[in-house]
Amino acid sequence: MTVVLNFDGKQLPEEMRSLPSGRYVLQSVDEVPTLTAEEEAGLEEAARSLERGEGLTPEGLRVEMGGTARR
């Protein structure tokens, strides 16, 4: 589950009030992490493979993931 919220640093956002009890990890989306050279190269290769028409259809992805992908 992903919940995007806006936090003013003072008041508990309404989006958090609707979450079930539990432990959560928050990460600011304003701070984009720097990719490693390997991650950057992997993304570039993935883009090239898509340009070559080697991407998967949504159904192909579901099959490859063993049926765990949601529709």
Side-chain angles (χ1 to χ4, degrees):
M1 163 184 18
T2 300
V3 175
V4 177
L5 56 94
N6 292 305
F7 182 48
D8 65 8
K10 297 175 185 158
Q11 298 183 17
L12 185 66
E14 185 59 40
E15 296 89 349
M16 291 189 73
R17 296 176 199 277
S18 64
L19 294 173
S21 297
R23 297 175 65 197
Y24 292 87
V25 175
L26 300 176
Q27 180 176 351
S28 174
V29 295
D30 295 331
E31 299 174 18
V32 179
T34 304
L35 297 177
T36 65
E38 293 81 15
E39 291 168 329
E40 186 75 33
L43 288 173
E44 289 172 358
E45 177 52 35
R48 285 192 296 274
S49 77
L50 289 173
E51 289 170 357
R52 293 189 300 265
E54 298 173 354
L56 293 172
T57 63
E59 184 55 37
L61 179 60
R62 280 188 206 89
V63 169
E64 185 141 321
M65 292 181 68
T68 59
R70 293 185 187 181
R71 290 183 178 222

